[in-house]
Amino acid sequence: MEKTLNVQGMTCGHCESAVKGALGDLDGVKDVQVSLDSGKVDVTYEEGKVTDEQMKEAVEDQGYDVK
Amino acid sequence: MEKTLNVQGMTCGHCESAVKGALGDLDGVKDVQVSLDSGKVDVTYEEGKVTDEQMKEAVEDQGYDVK
């Protein structure tokens, strides 16, 4: 399964790493691709292992808003 | 002694931490204050223990330009 999060406030490579790392640490997340320009974060995950809410919280915990 | 570096490309708190950490790790640097808005970085240091070039390189190694 794949879903796209729209993340606001990522400005640099450090931000990209922070978001990528936080999502990648979630159980069930297999791949994370971040586009800084668009703010789009594509997450590939195993259905049933991780919820939308967990992904959203992981990003928000790093200080970014999810639209 | 205190000097101000004009640093380009810092966009977020991670950038601030990276620059502050790199300068703070230099022998002879006693304090570092970063203003993200202006790009000004005030460094308090012990004269003779650290050179302008070392400070410049420390910042550039983190991926930022010093004017």
Side-chain angles (χ1 to χ4, degrees), chain B residues 6-47:
Chain B
N6 288 296
V7 179
Q8 289 180 307
M10 295 186 297
T11 55
C12 72
H14 297 120
C15 295
E16 181 174 336
S17 299
V19 168
K20 197 163 176 165
L23 286 166
D25 282 347
L26 292 176
D27 196 38
V29 170
K30 296 197 281 189
D31 186 53
V32 183
Q33 296 294 328
V34 176
S35 166
L36 268 184
D37 284 343
S38 65
K40 289 196 188 305
V41 178
D42 292 322
V43 184
T44 310
Y45 62 100
E46 234 171 301
E47 208 177 349

Side-chain angles (χ1 to χ4, degrees), chain A residues 35-48:
Chain A
S35 165
L36 267 185
D37 284 343
S38 64
K40 290 198 188 301
V41 178
D42 293 320
V43 185
T44 310
Y45 62 100
E46 233 171 302
E47 209 178 349

Side-chain angles (χ1 to χ4, degrees), chain A residues 3-27 29-44 50 52 54-67, chain B residues 12 14:
Chain A
K3 73 170 288 170
T4 301
L5 306 175
N6 288 296
V7 178
Q8 289 181 307
M10 296 185 298
T11 55
C12 72
H14 297 120
C15 295
E16 181 174 334
S17 300
V19 168
K20 198 165 175 162
L23 286 167
D25 281 349
L26 293 176
D27 194 38
V29 169
K30 296 197 282 188
D31 187 52
V32 183
Q33 296 295 329
V34 176
S35 165
L36 267 185
D37 284 343
S38 64
K40 290 198 188 301
V41 178
D42 293 320
V43 185
T44 310
V50 58
D52 285 7
Q54 287 172 315
M55 294 187 205
K56 189 167 179 278
E57 273 180 15
V59 174
E60 287 175 346
D61 283 352
Q62 296 299 316
Y64 305 97
D65 289 329
V66 179
K67 273 191 286 191
Chain B
C12 72
H14 297 120

